[in-house]
Amino acid sequence: MGGGPAKEHLLIAAPQAIPEAIVARLQKKFPDIDVTSIQVNSTSPKLVDVPASTFAKVTILVTFNVLPPDPQRDAPNLDWLHLFSAGSNHIQHHPLYTSSDVTITTSSGIHGPQIAEWAVMTALVQSHKYKQLYELQKEHRWGKTG
């Protein structure tokens, strides 16, 4: 009775530690979401990396491949899984993918602008003979690049 809406619980299970500043910024921007960050073994992720009590209350999971073995039993409140990867082929045989109503999203497309910028920059570097000009600059020489 009362108490307002139930809080969402975001779990970030990543192979590297998420800086506390990022977690604090997320909690400040989204005060109705509890944020938990857990560093997991990227080569052999296991459910034991994530405490059962955390999985039990998680509603949003962000990870590469740390998944509850039995989603209905281990993560009954899970509504949304976001994968760090661009694809989901590595989880397509997991019960979360094959037999649950959990929304699954990926990071596909997030690097598009950066890749386009890199491609244009690389073309400019080549066409303006940057490498040769840089070598001449290091030698304090003016000269032609050929």
Side-chain angles (χ1 to χ4, degrees):
M1 223 185 206
K7 265 192 156 182
E8 297 285 347
H9 188 110
L10 166 65
L11 171 61
I12 305 168
Q16 67 283 348
I18 304 297
E20 283 300 317
I22 291 176
V23 173
R25 198 167 95 204
L26 283 169
Q27 289 178 321
K28 183 178 180 184
K29 186 167 181 151
F30 304 101
D32 291 334
I33 299 178
D34 289 328
V35 180
T36 302
S37 173
I38 296 177
Q39 185 174 359
V40 294
N41 182 342
S42 63
T43 58
S44 171
K46 296 181 178 72
L47 183 58
V48 295
D49 289 337
V50 179
S53 61
T54 301
F55 253 137
K57 62 185 176 181
V58 71
T59 57
I60 305 166
L61 174 60
V62 178
T63 188
F64 177 71
N65 58 352
V66 176
L67 304 171
D70 181 344
Q72 291 181 346
R73 181 194 70 215
D74 302 322
N77 299 310
L78 185 61
D79 293 322
W80 179 17
L81 167 65
H82 181 79
L83 299 171
F84 289 124
S85 58
S88 61
N89 55 315
H90 60 289
I91 69 159
Q92 288 181 352
H93 298 291
H94 189 278
L96 200 57
Y97 192 91
T98 59
S99 54
S100 81
D101 292 333
V102 173
T103 300
I104 300 173
T105 57
T106 67
S107 296
S108 179
I110 65 167
H111 295 106
Q114 294 83 351
I115 295 297
E117 290 169 359
W118 178 85
V120 170
M121 179 202 61
T122 301
L124 289 171
V125 164
Q126 272 304 104
S127 68
H128 289 275
K129 300 183 177 158
Y130 175 81
K131 185 176 179 187
Q132 296 92 336
L133 291 171
Y134 179 67
E135 293 301 322
L136 289 170
Q137 181 185 25
K138 285 193 315 189
E139 297 170 8
H140 301 282
R141 289 184 29 218
W142 288 96
K144 294 189 178 189
T145 60

